[in-house]
Amino acid sequence: MAPRTRRALFSVTLFLATCAVLGSFISEKVAAQSASDESTLRDSLHEFTDVYSIVEQNYAEPLDQEKTDRAIYDGAIPGMLHVLDPHSNFYDPKAFAQMREDQHGKYYGVGMSIQPQPDKAGVIHIVVLAPFEGTPAYKAGIRPGDMIMSVDGKSAEGLDSAAVATMLKGPKGTHVSVVMAREGKDAPLTFDLVRDEIPRYSVDLSFMLKPGIGYIHVTNFMETTSREVGDALEKFQAANGNLHGLVVDLRGNPGGLLNEAVNMSDKFLQKGQIVVSQRGRAFPDQVYRAAHGEDGKEKYPIVVIVNRNTASAAEIVSGALQDHDRALIVGETTFGKGLVQTVFQISENTGLALTTYHYYTPSGRLIQRSYDGVSLYDYYYVRDDAKKADKSNLEVKLTDSGRTVYGGGGITPDEKIDSGSFDPMNYNHFQGSLLQHYAFFDFSKHYLATHTVARDFVVDDAILQQFKDFLKANQVDYTDAEMNGVMDWVKSNIKSELFTSQFGQLEGLKVRAQADPEIGKAMTFLPEAMALEDRDKSLQKTASLR
């Protein structure tokens, strides 16, 4: 059998295997499945194989391996799943491997993020965005802005970021030689790096906003998230004694592993309190509770920041803390993803993420918003603010203390904070132009080629003037009105990029957080969050007297 035919046969078999998973999932788990339904499924599979056979034999061009893969991986299977709901998905071998790596929270390589960037002539190069602190790349002195010329003698010219990243990864303890070009250096720099385990942190930033007030930013939920949150809390308490307040930032968090959302919530709730419940038609309902809780520990007020891109597992945490009056939720109404996917491994390292449950918050809220009659693009990217403001069609539930909360459309914040110029979703044309031209990133390279910065560095008028001169030299047009309209954002980005290069990525992230007006506004709600705690204590005392 020819290789192309074998590959085509495998692709069709894979599609049928995926359908078989769906079919067996239905027929084995649902007792009411009728013989006529099974017959209809078999007829549909026959129709697909007939259509595929006609296409393979009669299409105007030969179906090579690439087209066969695209027809199955990008067409037939995703099309079938997206008819069901927006979140059921298929992972081809490459995507499946990446998903597992993301969930594990580690890989083996040199530890740096890279990106494609054009030079002045328009030629695309792969440059270092930032080395991760403590990794081989960081210890070797690789800096943001370094351009990768070759890896183990193989030129990086013409390669994309994924290809270069693959070359940099490898077994732990192996060597890789990387040649870099750096602004201000006449000759290329060669780095002999020894690959090591590179952790991917979901808590990418945790520090004290002010004495006694901690800040934790959680980017997603993977196998190490709850441990990272616990480590951050222990670090705060070891350095400052009892916390007086905590800001948890879940903006832009797309979710991840359900059990990690439960384990993170466990750190703030009382033992036995419900975190989330799952209800589906093919499996028994499940209720997840706080296994340990913070019973006996000194409580402190918590403010959780969310936005329109806070989804899934992040909504589980937000909903649980809100329903139990443990935290004040501030920001924007969240995404509204209340569908739980179970990943079924199909064959050759492919996976089917199939929606098997709906999840509900402790008060009984279904967070999933409606997707009937909505295109995938509109579902993910178009949010009708007028509809979000109208609560008349949403289910009404009550928190433990009797506060009103709403279900069916994401988590509605207790206090709304308008996202301002620091929110990427609100960037104006001028901000987009600066980022498109890599203005802050390139200015950092240019400035640090002849300067250093100290930790008390301030973006003063002299630095601003150098930045403006740099923009003009690189033909980035702007007006004084545009610059002044987002001046705090401009200063924050200049300082952040300089600190990332001089002191490491964590210091750069800290600069952004300290300047973020939404985080500053969230801190002002800590007294209101404390009032929730006092109200909860009062209710518990009243209940104990009855």
Side-chain angles (χ1 to χ4, degrees):
M1 186 182 293
R4 183 180 67 81
T5 304
R6 285 198 301 270
R7 183 71 185 185
L9 179 60
F10 166 73
S11 296
V12 177
T13 302
L14 177 61
F15 177 82
L16 296 178
T18 306
C19 294
V21 168
L22 290 169
S24 63
F25 175 79
I26 295 171
S27 61
E28 290 177 12
K29 297 294 183 180
V30 183
Q33 178 72 34
S34 67
S36 62
D37 290 336
E38 293 181 2
S39 177
T40 300
L41 177 61
R42 285 195 298 271
D43 290 344
S44 297
L45 296 181
H46 284 307
E47 286 183 9
F48 173 80
T49 55
D50 289 343
V51 169
Y52 185 87
S53 179
I54 292 172
V55 171
E56 183 182 29
Q57 295 176 33
N58 299 285
Y59 187 64
E61 300 173 5
L63 289 183
D64 57 19
Q65 177 178 324
E66 181 180 355
K67 286 183 178 177
T68 299
D69 286 348
R70 289 176 59 193
I72 299 297
Y73 291 152
D74 301 333
I77 296 176
M80 172 181 65
L81 295 173
H82 289 159
V83 169
L84 302 176
D85 67 77
H87 298 292
S88 290
N89 196 16
F90 175 76
Y91 295 95
D92 63 23
K94 183 177 180 181
F96 189 72
Q98 184 63 52
M99 178 191 70
R100 293 302 302 141
E101 181 179 296
D102 292 341
Q103 289 178 340
H104 286 314
K106 64 182 179 182
Y107 67 96
Y108 297 104
V110 298
M112 57 186 179
S113 57
I114 57 179
Q115 68 177 8
Q117 184 176 333
D119 59 19
K120 293 181 179 180
V123 178
I124 301 295
H125 301 283
I126 303 300
V127 301
V128 177
L129 186 60
F132 305 138
E133 293 188 33
T135 63
Y138 183 85
K139 294 175 181 177
I142 291 175
R143 298 180 185 174
D146 287 350
M147 184 181 75
I148 300 177
M149 300 176 66
S150 67
V151 178
D152 278 341
K154 182 178 180 181
S155 174
E157 185 177 352
L159 299 181
D160 59 18
S161 297
V164 174
T166 299
M167 293 163 63
L168 292 171
K169 293 178 181 178
K172 181 178 180 178
T174 57
H175 287 254
V176 58
S177 177
V178 184
V179 178
M180 302 273 199
R182 176 178 295 171
E183 185 169 343
K185 297 291 184 180
D186 295 330
L189 305 175
T190 301
F191 297 90
D192 180 28
L193 306 174
V194 179
R195 297 182 177 100
D196 200 354
E197 180 180 305
I198 308 300
R200 290 175 180 250
Y201 296 110
S202 56
V203 177
D204 64 344
L205 186 61
S206 62
F207 70 104
M208 302 303 291
L209 288 168
K210 55 192 295 188
I213 307 300
Y215 171 83
I216 297 176
H217 181 243
V218 186
T219 61
N220 63 351
F221 286 85
M222 57 188 186
E223 292 176 2
T224 59
T225 300
S226 60
R227 175 174 56 78
E228 292 177 43
V229 170
D231 289 345
L233 294 175
E234 289 180 3
K235 179 183 70 174
F236 292 155
Q237 291 164 345
N240 303 275
N242 291 329
L243 279 173
H244 302 304
L246 177 68
V247 175
V248 179
D249 195 343
L250 297 180
R251 289 176 297 173
N253 187 315
L257 298 177
L258 169 66
N259 65 306
E260 285 301 305
V262 172
N263 292 338
M264 175 177 168
S265 301
D266 193 341
K267 299 184 181 301
F268 305 112
L269 299 177
Q270 297 177 34
K271 183 177 181 179
Q273 284 186 318
I274 294 175
V275 176
V276 67
S277 58
Q278 292 184 164
R279 305 175 199 169
R281 73 184 186 110
F283 294 106
D285 294 350
Q286 294 189 46
V287 177
Y288 296 86
R289 297 178 181 273
H292 306 287
E294 57 175 358
D295 293 346
K297 298 178 182 177
E298 184 70 25
K299 287 190 175 182
Y300 44 83
I302 301 173
V303 172
V304 177
I305 317 176
V306 298
N307 67 4
R308 73 199 80 172
N309 292 322
T310 301
S312 191
E315 291 175 291
I316 289 176
V317 174
S318 306
L321 298 188
Q322 185 180 50
D323 282 1
H324 291 303
D325 299 297
R326 183 62 187 92
L328 193 78
I329 311 300
V330 303
E332 300 176 315
T333 299
T334 60
F335 184 87
K337 179 185 180 294
L339 304 179
V340 181
Q341 286 72 51
T342 301
V343 178
F344 299 88
Q345 187 162 347
I346 308 297
S347 61
E348 288 203 5
N349 295 319
T350 60
L352 169 64
L354 181 68
T355 296
T356 52
Y357 291 102
H358 292 76
Y359 74 71
Y360 295 79
T361 70
S363 67
R365 287 185 285 170
L366 172 65
I367 300 305
Q368 180 62 45
R369 58 190 169 92
S370 175
Y371 49 83
D372 291 339
V374 179
S375 70
L376 276 178
Y377 178 86
D378 287 344
Y379 177 78
Y380 280 105
Y381 302 111
V382 178
R383 303 298 297 274
D384 191 329
D385 290 334
K387 285 185 177 180
K388 286 191 294 182
D390 180 13
K391 305 298 182 185
S392 60
N393 294 322
L394 298 180
E395 59 178 346
V396 178
K397 299 292 183 179
L398 299 177
T399 69
D400 290 354
S401 68
R403 296 185 302 131
T404 299
V405 288
Y406 299 94
I411 299 292
T412 303
D414 299 305
E415 298 288 349
K416 181 174 173 54
I417 298 179
D418 292 326
S419 56
S421 61
F422 276 59
D423 184 347
M425 299 294 289
N426 295 334
Y427 285 169
N428 59 31
H429 175 75
F430 170 63
Q431 290 172 292
S433 176
L434 291 183
L435 296 176
Q436 183 180 4
H437 286 90
Y438 304 95
F440 302 110
F441 187 77
D442 287 345
F443 175 72
S444 173
K445 291 189 298 180
H446 170 75
Y447 185 84
L448 292 176
T450 54
H451 300 78
T452 60
V453 296
R455 291 187 180 274
D456 61 353
F457 174 84
V458 176
V459 180
D460 55 19
D461 290 342
I463 299 297
L464 275 174
Q465 188 58 52
Q466 291 186 55
F467 179 66
K468 292 176 181 179
D469 293 342
F470 178 81
L471 294 182
K472 291 178 181 179
N474 286 274
Q475 299 179 335
V476 180
D477 297 327
Y478 70 93
T479 66
D480 288 338
E482 288 175 326
M483 181 74 73
N484 293 332
V486 290
M487 183 58 74
D488 288 343
W489 178 83
V490 169
K491 289 182 176 180
S492 170
N493 276 274
I494 292 173
K495 184 175 179 179
S496 176
E497 289 292 351
L498 289 171
F499 270 49
T500 297
S501 293
Q502 189 78 47
F503 305 113
Q505 191 175 35
L506 290 179
E507 291 301 317
L509 291 173
K510 189 183 296 185
V511 167
R512 293 180 190 272
Q514 290 169 326
D516 189 332
E518 284 190 70
I519 296 175
K521 182 66 175 177
M523 280 197 295
T524 68
F525 288 111
L526 282 168
E528 193 170 336
M530 177 61 81
L532 281 181
E533 281 298 304
D534 295 339
R535 183 176 182 179
D536 182 56
K537 290 177 182 177
S538 177
L539 288 171
Q540 290 181 24
K541 182 177 180 181
T542 301
S544 66
L545 293 174
R546 289 176 181 170

